[in-house]
Amino acid sequence: MNLILLGPPGAGKGTQARRLSDKLKVPQISTGDLLRAARAEKTPLGQKAESYMVSGRLVPDDLVIAMIGERLKKEDCRAGYILDGFPRTLPQAEAFEKTSFKNSSKVGRVVNIQVERDEVVLRLSGRRQCGGCGENFHVSFHPPRKEGVCDRCGKGLIQRDDDREDVIRRRLDVYEKETQPLIAYYRGQGVLRDVRGTGSIEEIFGEVLRAVE
Ligand code: AP5
């Protein structure tokens, strides 16, 4: 099954996508993670994406669509995948439906995780991310067992360069303008389920599982 996780920055898309990926045995594909990897490797895509990401704007559609197209051709996507952070604009959603990937790009279910702006600011300003496996932690809400060290793979935790308060607020504005219209788009197709994104990570995971079943 192909799943899309929608929601504002900090809604918990990555946190839930990782759990879903473990449970459903299909890959989590995060365009944010792919772009950060391209930046770390200083590829031409990474160099083009950098200024957009650091300032909280979206990377241009053509670059992101080409990148995700390449990723979805890989063998591990045959049985399905979980998209985390894509599509993020109407042109991306339309391109996704028109392109023929190995596994049909037909959308199975879209889970819309709902969280208020103030909660997002609290979450993202305290987020710490593993530089190795990408697992997310929070200094207060979801601390690692050992400070600064990933529970999952033992590598060091970092603070993302777009998790500064001014950039977080810009990302939220961009989300409201560019991405929120996708809620009506997918609701109109009858594939969208809303999930309240506040509460414990495990409770929300239970709701997400119910929404995809
Ligand atoms: P991306 O990496 O996709 O960032 P985002 O959408 O802004 O989402 P986040 O990763 O910030 O949040 P999340 O919802 O995954 O929450 P998380 O689980 O981490 O994109 C970054 C940038 O790349 C974009 O700004 C753009 O420039 C570019 N980009 C990416 N995709 C693109 C696209 N398709 N088109 C164009 N540009 C694109 O959780 C957040 C924190 O909250 C963590 O600390 C976590 O531990 C904590 N938390 C999670 N759940 C809970 C809970 N229930 N209670 C309390 N705390 C919780």
Side-chain angles (χ1 to χ4, degrees):
M1 182 193 254
N2 302 333
L3 301 176
I4 292 175
L5 296 190
L6 264 188
K13 301 181 296 295
T15 302
Q16 297 299 333
R18 271 165 206 284
R19 283 160 178 76
L20 271 179
S21 169
D22 288 347
K23 174 95 181 170
L24 304 177
K25 313 278 181 245
V26 292
Q28 168 206 10
I29 299 176
S30 155
T31 40
D33 287 348
L34 292 173
L35 289 165
R36 277 184 289 280
R39 279 178 61 191
E41 289 164 20
K42 299 197 187 311
T43 65
L45 169 65
Q47 286 170 354
K48 283 184 198 150
E50 180 146 336
S51 62
Y52 294 97
M53 295 176 77
V54 171
S55 60
R57 291 171 297 149
L58 293 182
V59 175
D61 286 336
D62 56 336
L63 298 179
V64 176
I65 291 165
M67 176 184 76
I68 197 95
E70 285 306 307
R71 177 63 185 89
L72 294 180
K73 282 184 198 155
K74 294 199 173 156
E75 200 57 35
D76 64 341
C77 293
R78 266 182 186 270
Y81 42 80
I82 301 159
L83 291 177
D84 159 12
F86 180 91
R88 236 168 161 112
T89 62
L90 281 170
Q92 289 182 17
E94 285 161 2
F96 177 59
E97 276 155 41
K98 280 190 209 129
T99 318
S100 54
F101 300 120
K102 259 191 194 168
N103 168 358
S104 147
S105 58
K106 193 170 177 307
V107 173
R109 186 76 83 214
V110 180
V111 180
N112 177 36
I113 306 180
Q114 299 169 312
V115 175
E116 298 299 321
R117 275 181 84 101
D118 288 347
E119 170 78 11
V120 164
V121 176
L122 275 180
R123 285 186 184 185
L124 294 186
S125 47
R127 171 166 58 186
R128 298 293 180 271
Q129 191 168 49
C130 176
C133 69
E135 180 71 341
N136 288 311
F137 296 89
H138 189 281
V139 289
S140 318
F141 306 144
H142 179 42
R145 285 192 290 273
K146 185 171 174 207
E147 196 184 329
V149 178
C150 178
D151 290 351
R152 209 173 160 117
C153 75
K155 296 245 168 68
L157 303 183
I158 51 160
Q159 184 164 22
R160 272 172 43 177
D161 56 10
D162 57 350
D163 279 349
R164 292 194 340 249
E165 189 167 337
D166 56 329
V167 183
I168 295 168
R169 292 194 185 279
R170 176 104 182 257
R171 286 161 61 199
L172 280 164
D173 292 342
V174 169
Y175 165 79
E176 284 164 13
K177 185 161 176 266
E178 307 275 349
T179 310
Q180 239 172 10
L182 293 179
I183 296 174
Y185 178 81
Y186 286 121
R187 207 183 292 290
Q189 294 185 7
V191 292
L192 187 112
R193 298 289 179 274
D194 293 312
V195 167
R196 202 164 61 89
T198 45
S200 78
I201 291 171
E202 292 314 320
E203 278 164 12
I204 297 164
F205 184 54
E207 293 297 317
V208 171
L209 275 182
R210 271 189 283 283
V212 303
E213 275 159 10

